[in-house]
Amino acid sequence: MQFDYEVIIVGGGPVGMMVAAELALARVKVCVLERLRETTPYSRALTLHPRSLEILDMRGLKAKLLDRGKPITTGHFAALDTRLDFSVLDSSSNYTLIIPQHDTEKVLEEWAKSLGVEIRREVEVVAVHQDQHGVGVEAVGPNGKTVLTALYVVGSDGAASIVRKQAGIPFIGKNATFTAMQGDVVLKNPPKSGIPSYFNEQGLVMIVPLPAGMHRVVLIDPERMAVPKEEPVSLEELRASLLRIFGDDLGISDPFWMTRFGNATLQAQRYREGRIFLAGDAAHIHFPAGGQGMNVGLQEAMNLGWKLAAHLKGWAPDWLLDTYHMERFPINTDLLTNTQVQSLLFGSSEFSPSIIALRNMLSNLLQIPEANYRLATQISAFHIQYEPNGDTQPHALNGRRFTELNLRLENGECQNAYDLFHSGSFLLLHFGSDEQMDAAVDWSKYKHVHVVRASLAEGAADWHDVHTALIRPDGYVAWAVSQAESNPMEAIRKGIINWCGHN
C-alpha cells in the first residue's frame, strides 16, 4: 500500500518542527501541516531552559539561538522574591535564554527544511482517521480540500487539537478558574534592572525586558480574574491594573501583542492511540508558570522522534515505541502539579496577608542552597531520570541525563561529547582498553550507533567507574557497564541487542 508520507505532523510550532527534524535526521519522509501562513510574529513562549538548551546543543543549534537571545542565570518559581539559581547547575547551559518564540520557531524551521522536511502552510486539518494500515488526514488549503496519507500522524496542534479529538483521546483535568493578562508593550519608565515582580493584596505584576526596547507585562488582577479568556485585552485594561496593583502605569503604550490566559490544567489520558501520537500542548496544558510549557514540549518531541524513526526503520525493539507515553506521561503529571502549586502562590484563590506570608516564607527557604537547587533542577528539567529498561544491566547512571563530558579521543584531541550527537544516533562511549570490543558485536550491522573510544579529559562525577556506556539519541543514558563487571563484553553485547535491535 502506497502512502504519501511515512509521518505527517499536524502543527508547525516549535514542537512540531522539532519532531519533524528528529524524524528527518533518520531519513524518514515527513510532512508538516500548519494553518498559519508564516511563523508567528509574537513572542509567546519566551524562554529556553537549561535542558532544552542542552538537547538543542546536541543537534548543533544552540549557537544560532544564542545569537538571537539573551542568557540570564536565574529562573523563578511563582515569581517569589528569591530567584532560582541556574548558575550552579553542572552544565555549560546553566542559564535560561530569553528568546521570543518566533525566533525559536525560525531556527527550528530552518533546521527542518535543511533536512528535507516538507512544510505545507495555510493548510488546516479538518479530519483524521486511521485503520490498521495507516492514517488519512483531510485538510483544506489554498488549492481546496485534499486527503494525505501516512503510516503515522503526530498531533502537535495545540490545546484545541483536532488530532486528539479525532483520535478519541480524553483530555482530563480541571478547566480554568481564573484568567490573567499579558502584553508586549513599550514602557516609557520601566523598572531599572532585572526581571522584577510585585505581589501585594491588589494583585501581581511581572515585567520582562524584550528585544527592541519592549517589555512583557504580566498581570493577575483580582478585579479582572473572572473575565473570560476569549475577551480581548485592551491597553486601558493593562494600564488600569498596573495603577491598581503597582501604583504607576510606567508609561505603558504601543502594544504589539496582548492576550488573556487561564489556569486550565488538562492532560491527554494517553499520548498514543494506534498510529496517532500527541506532543506539546495537544497532550497537556497548564498555567504558564515558570516558562516550562514549550520546553517540555521540545523535550518530548526529541523523545518521540528517535523512537518513531527507529520503529519505521525496522530496528526498534518491540517495547521501545510504548516508552514514549510511559516516560513522558509521569513527567508531565509532575509538571501539572508544580504549575498548580505556583498558581496557588500566584494568588489564584486570594491575595491575602496569609498568602503574602506564605510567599515570604517560601522565598526565605529558597535562600537555602539545597532548597533552591532542588527547585532549579525541577524547572530546568535536570531532575529527570527515566526508569531503566528491565533487561538493562544495573548501574547508577541508567536513565539519567547525559552530562556534556569533555572527552579525549584516541588521536589525542579533546571534544565535547554533545558534538557527537548531531546526527541523532546512539553514542557508545568505550573507556576501556579491551581489544575484544570489535569482536563483541558486529558493529557494521548497527549504523545507528556511533562507537567512540575515548577517555575522560576532565574528571566527571559518577563516571569514574564506567567501562562502557550507551547514550540514547535524546541524551539519556540507556545503560552503563562498570569496570568491575566480570564479563563486560557480554554485558555490552546484550545491551546493544536489547536497545538497538538485532540487525
Side-chain angles (χ1 to χ4, degrees), residues 304-326:
L304 173 61
W306 72 270
K307 293 174 180 177
L308 184 52
H311 175 76
L312 287 164
K313 293 305 174 183
W315 61 260
D318 293 340
W319 52 267
L320 184 63
L321 201 49
D322 288 335
T323 65
Y324 171 59
H325 173 87
M326 291 166 57

Side-chain angles (χ1 to χ4, degrees), residues 34 111 142 217 220 231 265 335 360 372 400 412-413 425 459 464:
E34 170 55 51
W111 179 43
V217 176
I220 304 180
E231 183 174 317
T265 303
L335 164 69
N360 289 337
N372 196 297
R400 285 173 52 178
E413 294 181 1
S425 300
H464 63 280

Side-chain angles (χ1 to χ4, degrees), residues 6-27:
E6 291 177 276
V7 182
I8 292 174
I9 312 292
V10 181
V15 175
M17 291 299 177
M18 187 80 183
V19 178
E22 286 294 302
L23 290 165
L25 274 175
R27 305 185 192 281

Side-chain angles (χ1 to χ4, degrees), residues 438-502:
D438 291 334
V441 176
D442 182 356
W443 297 108
S444 66
K445 295 181 179 181
Y446 294 94
K447 302 298 184 184
H448 49 288
V449 180
H450 185 189
V451 180
V452 175
R453 293 168 174 80
S455 60
L456 293 173
E458 298 175 2
D462 303 323
W463 284 84
H464 63 280
D465 79 323
V466 175
H467 177 284
T468 303
L470 181 70
I471 320 302
R472 299 165 21 158
D474 57 349
Y476 290 86
V477 179
W479 50 257
V481 174
S482 170
Q483 292 179 10
E485 170 62 38
S486 59
N487 190 347
M489 293 304 126
E490 180 62 13
I492 292 167
R493 188 188 69 80
K494 287 182 177 179
I496 289 293
I497 291 173
N498 183 41
W499 275 88
C500 303
H502 297 267

Side-chain angles (χ1 to χ4, degrees), residues 225-442:
M225 291 170 69
V227 179
K229 179 176 177 288
E230 295 73 27
E231 183 174 317
V233 178
S234 70
L235 180 62
E236 288 308 312
E237 186 179 12
L238 293 179
R239 178 180 286 113
S241 291
L242 268 175
L243 286 169
R244 190 159 41 246
I245 300 168
F246 185 62
D248 188 333
D249 71 0
L250 301 173
I252 189 172
S253 67
D254 302 297
F256 179 67
W257 175 60
M258 297 182 293
T259 189
R260 203 181 307 274
F261 56 95
N263 67 325
T265 303
L266 301 162
Q267 181 166 213
Q269 189 177 65
R270 53 192 178 275
Y271 290 1
R272 178 187 185 183
E273 180 64 34
R275 294 179 172 273
I276 294 172
F277 294 85
L278 302 176
D281 288 352
H284 44 78
I285 60 169
H286 54 86
F287 193 64
Q292 300 170 89
M294 181 181 70
N295 288 278
V296 297
L298 292 174
Q299 291 158 31
E300 66 202 24
M302 183 180 267
N303 185 294
L304 173 61
W306 72 270
K307 293 174 180 177
L308 184 52
H311 175 76
L312 287 164
K313 293 305 174 183
W315 61 260
D318 293 340
W319 52 267
L320 184 63
L321 201 49
D322 288 335
T323 65
Y324 171 59
H325 173 87
M326 291 166 57
E327 290 184 343
R328 295 306 305 182
F329 187 87
I331 288 168
N332 291 324
T333 301
D334 289 344
L335 164 69
L336 301 188
T337 298
N338 98 44
T339 55
Q340 286 178 302
V341 170
Q342 291 188 72
S343 173
L344 176 66
L345 293 170
F346 273 127
S348 61
S349 58
E350 58 177 332
F351 290 79
S352 65
S354 61
I355 288 292
I356 293 172
L358 176 60
R359 288 177 60 87
N360 289 337
M361 179 184 294
L362 292 174
S363 187
N364 288 335
L365 287 173
L366 286 181
Q367 293 179 26
I368 300 172
E370 292 81 3
N372 196 297
Y373 181 81
R374 183 74 168 268
L375 278 184
T377 58
Q378 184 172 326
I379 296 296
S380 65
F382 274 24
H383 71 303
I384 292 172
Q385 180 168 359
Y386 294 130
E387 286 292 325
N389 175 265
D391 295 328
T392 298
Q393 185 82 9
H395 194 281
L397 287 173
N398 291 352
R400 285 173 52 178
R401 156 185 159 264
F402 178 59
T403 54
E404 50 187 322
L405 301 178
N406 189 17
L407 303 174
R408 180 171 286 108
L409 306 180
E410 283 188 306
N411 62 8
E413 294 181 1
C414 290
Q415 185 168 27
N416 186 317
Y418 280 8
D419 294 339
L420 301 171
F421 286 89
H422 290 189
S423 66
S425 300
F426 276 93
L427 174 64
L428 186 86
L429 282 179
H430 178 56
F431 296 116
S433 56
D434 307 76
E435 298 298 329
Q436 299 174 322
M437 263 293 288
D438 291 334
V441 176
D442 182 356

Side-chain angles (χ1 to χ4, degrees), residues 88-102:
V88 300
L89 298 176
D90 178 23
S91 174
S92 68
S93 299
N94 55 351
Y95 50 83
T96 282
L97 189 66
I98 302 296
I99 179 171
Q101 180 175 322
H102 59 76

